[in-house]
Amino acid sequence: MKQTLSRFFPYVLIVTSLVVLWLSPLQIQSNFTDTLPKSVTDSEWEAGYQKLEQHLQKQVVFAVEASTQENSQLLTEFIQSLSTSNLFKNVIYNLEDSEKKSLFAFYESLKGQMLSTEDRSLLLSNQYEKIKNKRLAEVYSPFGMMPLGDLKSDPFGFHNRFLKDFASGQFAQDAEGRFKITQKKGKSYYIVRAIIKDNIDEKKLLKLYGDCKLRFTQNDQQFLALAAQLYLAKGNQLAMTEASVIGGLSLLLILLIFLYFFKNIKQLYYVIILISTSVLSALALFSLLQSNVHIISLIFSVSIIGLVVDYAIHLFAHNNDGSAVKKIFKPMTLALISTCIGYVLLYVSGLKVIQDTALFSVVGLVVGYVCVLFWSPLKNVQIKTTTNVKIDFIQKKHLWALLVILLGLPFVKFVDDVETLRPTLQQLYSDEQAMQSIFGISNESGYYLVKGASVDQLLLAEEKFKAPFEDPVVSLTSFLPSSQQRTQNWQLINDFTTSQSVFLKELQLGSVTSLQYNDLGQKHLDEFLKLEILSNYYLGKLNDGNYYSMLLAPLKEAVTSKQANFYDRLGDYSNYFKNLRQKVSLIYIIALLTIMCFLMLFMPIKKAVMVLMIPAVSVLFSLIVCSLIGPLNIFHTLAVILVFTLGLDYCLFFIFAEQKHTNSVRLSVFISVLTTLSGFAVLVFSSTPAIQSFGAMVFFGLCFVYLIAKTFLSEQA
Amino acid sequence: MVVVSKQLIYIVISLLICGFVNAEMVFPPKSGTYVQERFVKDIADGFRSSGSYSYKDGVLNWQQEKPQESLFQVSNIQVLQKVNGLPDQVYTYESHPHIFSFIDILFSVIKGDEEKIRKHFQVKQENKSLILKPKNKNIGAIVRRIFVAENGRKIIIHNNNGGRTQLSIQN
């Protein structure tokens, strides 16, 4: 019974894990932002931040070049294809007649309170003559088409000029009412805003973007898209593709190494079962504890494969010399406990992706450890001792040359800006640049949130915030000024009109009907705020009880206050990463000291210090080398744990191996390093900065660990 | 921007009509004077203005003299609007390309391009008057119909907003 159990328990674990995974499937997340905490600040702006984020993530803005009738046909087809794609809740490309009517009816009720920017400025600066001349030009011009129907009530045409200004500015439309921007160079772009449905298939969105891009480009029309979702989808697609290609390639390399060093294919089969048992058990436990795991956690956690394989390789190497389990029990147990201490301490980092990595790794390692010790078929696996591999290629005197690396110490610099972690998505980035140019937005602009205890307070706060800007900024107050400004407009118009009785007589308008000041009723205001055209500016009343709006403004001129704040989610996350990096660094120091105390129970202090110093120095060297490639980030910091635990693993095996190292023991460590390096070397070529940084750090770190440990510890033993 | 486009439509219409009458649909006069009366709903008297116009070397000058001086100078490169006391307004192809599609019609009228005129207007003769109805959607949005009488000396343009403009042309 005992024999049967020791022969088949990994299979039982695999089957049980598969059943658990089938009954309680684990969702794999690929969106990086899902790994971040929803709130990284205690900011009183959090409600607005989250709403704005939601708003930006849920929309795609398209700009389609269409200057001719033929081009316009393709545009119509494009708009239809968006509506039928089943990806969008709403496609906004024009001001519909009903909305236009509501908007103009709303303004009609505010007649006498609305002014065009130019008129308001002229009235405020008492440039009455200019207003009169302008009106004369409108009334007498042979081609003047300004409607004159309301001469009696609005003799100077302030309201009509406001409407014309409004309709020909940012909200210009073509004959069919579609939103259109004409650039100085004569190119016309149609603007389409599409609101993305919940839980869409990202691949479909990317396909739609790709197909449209191709179609318009073939027709010599520019097609641009701007959407946070597209960046995420493209980034995820890239990460998934790379994870498959890189994962496949590293697995292939590892298999080739095994085939070279193992005696037959059957041995390889045992290793695959061992890896499967560890990984599936960890996944099954995960699925019982939570419903999802992030792809980054999975990629990082799969590095436990490296550790489990290392345990197995050490066992196989000692199998060559007989009584293997007895010989490897102590180093392997110490390595497992030390590694687990490191991972468990990482759990307090608070970042879910790291916590998941820690949990996954510890479970996988423990299962792997149990299998290596108790799975009977592994005891018959041996490494080819006849392999003629020259592993004594470096000597102590050569190693001093590594100290040159320390010259790079001044270059070690951490950059916590999350922007640097964004994969290079050239096409989307160039779309974004072109779009900014079309909208006349400087890339030195950013989103701002404005809030107020009531809608009117919000409007007042916006006006105050916008006051210093040289260029007009489109926002909620472009549609509706505050009641304070509306009252002032009304007063300005009335004062001016009253002062112009002689002029009015010349215009045959002796009796002017005074306009009544109409208060804006709540019902009327609510209906207005529901208009679709405002959805890009007005965020509504949020759960903190305040009313919010957003606007895009130049960073240089903006002044933040209690009512207006820069939406700097990236900055907040960058700060968060900075704090996390510092926290993780502190955890490493605590882990280092804890592991040292633990190891001192089993070996002399000198050896314990040496076992710990080798991975520590290797980490430093690796950080220096990586900083010569590019600035260091949070993922370099996270990779330190792997360099450290794997390095510790190798050092312990060197220390606890037989006094006189046999070829097979030295070979086992060499193969362990070789398999691990093969896996991580491939990651260096990833275009996803997180994966690339992680891979480079582990690769260089383990190279240094092996070189230093082999040279120093071989002699110590 | 929108206002200017509509103003140009008026220039086109006025000269187009001159072309019909003065040279039996061939050439409009290159220069002349005009008197305009603009009638607005609910106001009994029209707003009267007068001035002159001329076309020379590819530039049309539309000069209003009374009651206020103003000038429209139109070429195929730019449109210049000068109004007393206000800063000059210049519209170029780069900034307002759509305006220049109207200018294209305008100059084809001056050059007597009958084919282009018929492309944009439906022409009907009633007694001694001509009635023109715009075929073009953009022009149709502003002008309902146009009467041309007295051998082209009198033109009445009916707007879509209920008002009308009477134009008397003299060589």
Side-chain angles (χ1 to χ4, degrees):
Chain A
M1 174 68 185
K2 197 180 165 186
Q3 269 187 345
T4 316
L5 189 69
S6 74
R7 191 165 181 79
F8 292 108
F9 81 89
Y11 300 108
V12 175
L13 273 177
I14 289 176
V15 173
T16 312
S17 302
L18 286 173
V19 171
V20 169
L21 284 170
W22 183 62
L23 292 173
S24 163
L26 196 60
Q27 297 285 325
I28 296 177
Q29 294 175 312
S30 55
N31 186 343
F32 181 67
T33 50
D34 288 347
T35 67
L36 301 171
K38 286 289 169 225
S39 166
V40 288
T41 59
D42 295 329
S43 167
E44 55 190 27
W45 291 88
E46 198 50 40
Y49 266 28
Q50 287 191 19
K51 180 74 182 178
L52 175 57
E53 210 154 74
Q54 212 178 3
H55 175 82
L56 295 176
Q57 280 182 4
K58 283 286 165 199
Q59 74 169 9
V60 189
V61 180
F62 297 101
V64 181
E65 183 199 341
S67 305
T68 65
Q69 195 66 33
E70 295 77 45
N71 288 347
S72 189
Q73 179 57 32
L74 199 51
L75 173 78
T76 310
E77 287 170 24
F78 163 67
I79 291 170
Q80 276 170 358
S81 73
L82 289 185
S83 307
T84 54
S85 68
N86 210 23
L87 289 169
F88 305 106
K89 272 184 207 166
N90 203 358
V91 180
I92 307 157
Y93 62 96
N94 66 351
L95 195 58
E96 284 183 9
D97 283 347
S98 58
E99 195 168 33
K100 206 184 276 180
K101 268 185 192 167
S102 307
L103 197 62
F104 281 80
F106 176 78
Y107 288 137
E108 192 61 29
S109 72
L110 295 178
K111 207 168 180 179
Q113 300 175 36
M114 308 299 286
L115 278 172
S116 69
T117 315
E118 194 190 351
D119 280 350
R120 184 173 155 79
S121 148
L122 289 174
L123 286 172
L124 280 170
S125 54
N126 292 321
Q127 296 188 64
Y128 288 1
E129 279 305 309
K130 283 192 176 175
I131 295 175
K132 283 196 285 186
N133 283 333
K134 205 197 275 194
R135 192 53 172 164
L136 279 173
E138 284 167 5
V139 173
Y140 288 108
S141 164
F143 321 113
M145 282 303 295
M146 184 63 85
L148 299 175
D150 55 356
L151 267 171
K152 287 274 182 193
S153 59
D154 184 16
F156 290 95
F158 289 115
H159 194 67
N160 277 324
R161 273 200 300 280
F162 158 74
L163 292 177
K164 285 215 173 289
D165 199 26
F166 179 79
S168 60
Q170 285 283 334
F171 314 100
Q173 297 156 58
D174 71 353
E176 290 167 47
R178 297 181 296 200
F179 298 124
K180 184 181 177 184
I181 290 182
T182 301
Q183 271 195 319
K184 283 184 180 173
K185 287 175 185 170
K187 276 188 181 176
S188 290
Y189 290 89
Y190 284 87
I191 308 301
V192 180
R193 209 154 61 86
I195 312 299
I196 305 168
K197 279 184 181 171
D198 295 328
N199 305 319
I200 56 149
D201 183 354
E202 284 181 342
K203 282 181 199 159
K204 275 190 182 172
L205 184 66
L206 282 176
K207 191 177 177 312
L208 178 102
Y209 169 72
D211 290 350
C212 292
K213 188 99 186 163
L214 183 71
R215 209 161 159 215
F216 280 101
T217 311
Q218 280 172 347
N219 207 37
D220 283 334
Q221 283 175 268
Q222 207 175 358
F223 174 85
L224 307 166
L226 179 63
Q229 275 268 13
L230 274 175
Y231 271 107
L232 286 174
K234 198 84 184 162
N236 292 338
Q237 191 189 48
L238 191 69
M240 295 293 256
T241 311
E242 282 191 347
S244 316
V245 172
I246 288 170
L249 207 61
S250 60
L251 204 65
L252 186 72
L253 277 171
I254 292 168
L255 290 179
L256 286 173
I257 293 166
F258 282 178
L259 280 175
Y260 183 75
F261 287 103
F262 286 4
K263 286 188 171 173
N264 56 49
I265 291 280
K266 199 174 177 188
Q267 294 173 340
L268 192 62
Y269 162 77
Y270 290 132
V271 172
I272 290 168
I273 292 295
L274 177 68
I275 293 169
S276 308
T277 313
S278 307
V279 173
L280 285 173
S281 305
L283 277 174
L285 188 79
F286 236 83
S287 73
L288 291 175
L289 296 175
Q290 54 192 57
S291 59
N292 54 53
V293 63
H294 196 273
I295 182 82
I296 290 183
S297 295
L298 271 186
I299 291 175
F300 291 169
S301 308
V302 170
S303 55
I304 62 158
I305 292 175
L307 285 166
V308 172
V309 170
D310 286 354
Y311 292 166
I313 290 169
H314 295 310
L315 178 80
F316 303 160
H318 285 81
N319 280 342
N320 291 14
D321 303 332
S323 59
V325 172
K326 199 178 163 190
K327 284 175 192 165
I328 65 157
F329 179 75
K330 196 173 178 184
M332 206 167 92
T333 310
L334 286 178
L336 174 78
I337 295 172
S338 308
T339 309
C340 289
I341 290 172
Y343 277 120
V344 167
L345 283 171
L346 265 187
Y347 204 83
V348 298
S349 68
L351 186 65
K352 193 173 174 296
V353 72
I354 302 181
Q355 290 176 329
D356 287 356
T357 305
L359 181 67
F360 195 101
S361 303
V362 168
V363 175
L365 268 180
V366 171
V367 174
Y369 170 85
V370 172
C371 288
V372 169
L373 288 185
F374 302 108
W375 191 27
S376 54
L378 293 184
K379 293 181 177 65
N380 302 319
V381 182
Q382 288 184 354
I383 290 173
K384 274 192 260 179
T385 47
T386 50
T387 311
N388 186 21
V389 179
K390 186 173 168 54
I391 51 179
D392 295 319
F393 49 84
I394 195 156
Q395 291 169 8
K396 207 171 185 174
K397 59 179 179 183
H398 297 136
L399 218 60
W400 293 111
L402 286 180
L403 292 176
V404 178
I405 293 171
L406 290 174
L407 291 174
L409 205 57
F411 296 101
V412 174
K413 192 185 166 192
F414 280 92
V415 172
D416 298 299
D417 186 355
V418 287
E419 274 287 293
T420 58
L421 295 176
R422 226 163 63 158
T424 318
L425 305 170
Q426 203 48 52
Q427 194 175 56
L428 287 175
Y429 185 69
S430 60
D431 272 18
E432 186 180 329
Q433 300 279 306
M435 199 88 107
Q436 280 177 342
S437 143
I438 292 168
F439 283 106
I441 302 164
S442 127
N443 51 12
E444 295 288 304
S445 298
Y447 281 104
Y448 284 82
L449 279 169
V450 185
K451 69 175 170 183
S454 64
V455 173
D456 207 50
Q457 290 289 324
L458 168 70
L459 296 171
L460 263 175
E462 242 196 35
E463 277 162 6
K464 196 175 160 193
F465 177 71
K466 281 168 71 172
F469 299 142
E470 280 176 21
D471 293 321
V473 170
V474 183
S475 68
L476 186 59
T477 44
S478 310
F479 294 85
L480 180 66
S482 65
S483 63
Q484 195 184 64
Q485 195 179 112
R486 294 199 308 271
T487 314
Q488 192 191 31
N489 287 348
W490 183 79
Q491 198 60 51
L492 284 168
I493 292 171
N494 275 283
D495 288 351
F496 171 73
T497 313
T498 316
S499 73
Q500 300 300 316
S501 55
V502 177
F503 180 78
L504 290 171
K505 212 170 180 180
E506 282 172 22
L507 274 177
Q508 314 160 47
L509 296 168
S511 59
V512 172
T513 321
S514 289
L515 282 172
Q516 285 289 312
Y517 182 87
N518 295 319
D519 279 324
L520 181 56
Q522 189 60 43
K523 195 183 159 201
H524 217 166
L525 177 65
D526 288 345
E527 277 172 16
F528 168 74
L529 291 171
K530 276 183 203 157
L531 291 175
E532 207 168 53
I533 196 172
L534 294 181
S535 63
N536 215 18
Y537 310 95
Y538 179 60
L539 297 173
K541 187 180 182 182
L542 303 184
N543 50 19
D544 65 351
N546 285 305
Y547 294 82
Y548 281 83
S549 71
M550 63 167 190
L551 47 87
L552 196 59
L555 299 172
K556 239 194 276 174
E557 298 164 63
V559 181
T560 55
S561 66
K562 278 191 169 181
Q563 270 83 42
N565 194 34
F566 177 41
Y567 166 78
D568 188 17
R569 201 53 139 187
L570 290 180
D572 285 346
Y573 277 123
S574 300
N575 276 335
Y576 171 75
F577 277 134
K578 187 180 176 185
N579 292 335
L580 182 70
R581 185 171 54 77
Q582 287 165 349
K583 200 171 169 184
V584 170
S585 304
L586 188 69
I587 291 171
Y588 287 158
I589 294 169
I590 297 169
L592 191 79
L593 294 173
T594 315
I595 295 168
M596 192 163 82
C597 293
F598 172 72
L599 289 180
M600 275 159 53
L601 299 174
F602 302 92
M603 61 178 77
I605 298 177
K606 196 182 162 191
K607 271 191 181 177
V609 170
M610 198 156 211
V611 162
L612 286 172
M613 283 315 289
I614 289 171
V617 168
S618 303
V619 163
L620 179 69
F621 280 2
S622 183
L623 284 174
I624 295 172
V625 173
C626 288
S627 66
L628 295 175
I629 300 170
L632 303 175
N633 58 50
I634 182 73
F635 290 96
H636 288 101
T637 314
L638 295 178
V640 166
I641 186 72
L642 205 68
V643 177
F644 196 80
T645 49
L646 281 167
L648 196 67
D649 189 354
Y650 302 145
C651 291
L652 285 169
F653 273 95
F654 269 122
I655 290 277
F656 283 93
E658 290 175 280
Q659 287 299 304
K660 193 183 170 198
H661 286 167
T662 59
N663 188 41
S664 56
V665 171
R666 280 181 290 166
L667 197 60
S668 72
V669 178
F670 177 71
I671 299 169
S672 296
V673 173
L674 203 60
T675 50
T676 313
L677 287 183
S678 311
F680 285 98
V682 189
L683 298 188
V684 179
F685 300 102
S686 168
S687 59
T688 306
I691 299 175
Q692 196 256 350
S693 309
F694 196 82
M697 183 67 198
V698 177
F699 177 78
F700 292 118
L702 290 185
C703 284
F704 291 124
V705 166
Y706 181 72
L707 292 177
I708 302 170
K710 196 191 157 301
T711 315
F712 284 90
L713 296 182
S714 292
E715 287 179 14
Q716 289 285 319
Chain B
M1 190 170 81
V2 171
V3 177
V4 171
S5 334
K6 290 175 181 175
Q7 287 167 343
L8 280 164
I9 295 170
Y10 264 74
I11 299 178
V12 172
I13 292 163
S14 307
L15 288 174
L16 187 150
I17 295 154
C18 294
F20 267 104
V21 180
N22 289 337
E24 291 176 331
M25 291 183 65
V26 184
F27 297 108
K30 299 281 192 239
S31 60
T33 58
Y34 71 86
V35 175
Q36 181 200 260
E37 270 190 295
R38 199 169 170 198
F39 292 90
V40 178
K41 211 176 160 190
D42 298 333
I43 294 182
D45 297 327
F47 295 103
R48 193 183 165 94
S49 60
S50 58
S52 58
Y53 74 91
S54 65
Y55 175 75
K56 197 179 173 188
D57 302 330
V59 179
L60 171 73
N61 285 299
W62 194 273
Q63 176 84 54
Q64 179 184 287
E65 283 148 15
K66 286 179 183 176
Q68 175 210 37
E69 285 204 2
S70 69
L71 172 73
F72 256 89
Q73 207 169 60
V74 185
S75 73
N76 55 7
I77 307 166
Q78 65 167 42
V79 176
L80 172 72
Q81 184 189 7
K82 279 176 180 279
V83 177
N84 188 24
L86 296 175
D88 290 355
Q89 296 256 44
V90 178
Y91 306 93
T92 60
Y93 179 79
E94 282 72 29
S95 60
H96 297 81
H98 57 285
I99 291 177
F100 286 80
S101 57
F102 290 118
I103 291 175
D104 179 44
I105 303 174
L106 167 69
F107 287 128
S108 61
V109 168
I110 294 172
K111 288 169 192 163
D113 187 345
E114 190 183 329
E115 197 182 326
K116 211 162 211 173
I117 293 161
R118 290 197 182 273
K119 191 178 158 192
H120 292 288
F121 293 90
Q122 190 185 54
V123 186
K124 205 172 141 189
Q125 186 150 11
E126 271 185 14
N127 301 325
K128 288 183 177 178
S129 302
L130 285 176
I131 300 170
L132 279 79
K133 281 189 180 174
K135 287 182 187 171
N136 185 307
K137 215 175 174 183
N138 292 343
I139 301 174
I142 304 156
V143 176
R144 192 153 50 93
R145 58 184 171 169
I146 301 159
F147 283 96
V148 184
E150 296 174 18
N151 285 334
R153 304 292 170 187
K154 193 165 189 179
I155 301 148
I156 305 169
I157 303 161
H158 291 265
N159 302 333
N160 270 337
N161 58 19
R164 70 177 198 279
T165 304
Q166 277 180 207
L167 204 61
S168 302
I169 307 267
Q170 283 186 330
N171 278 10

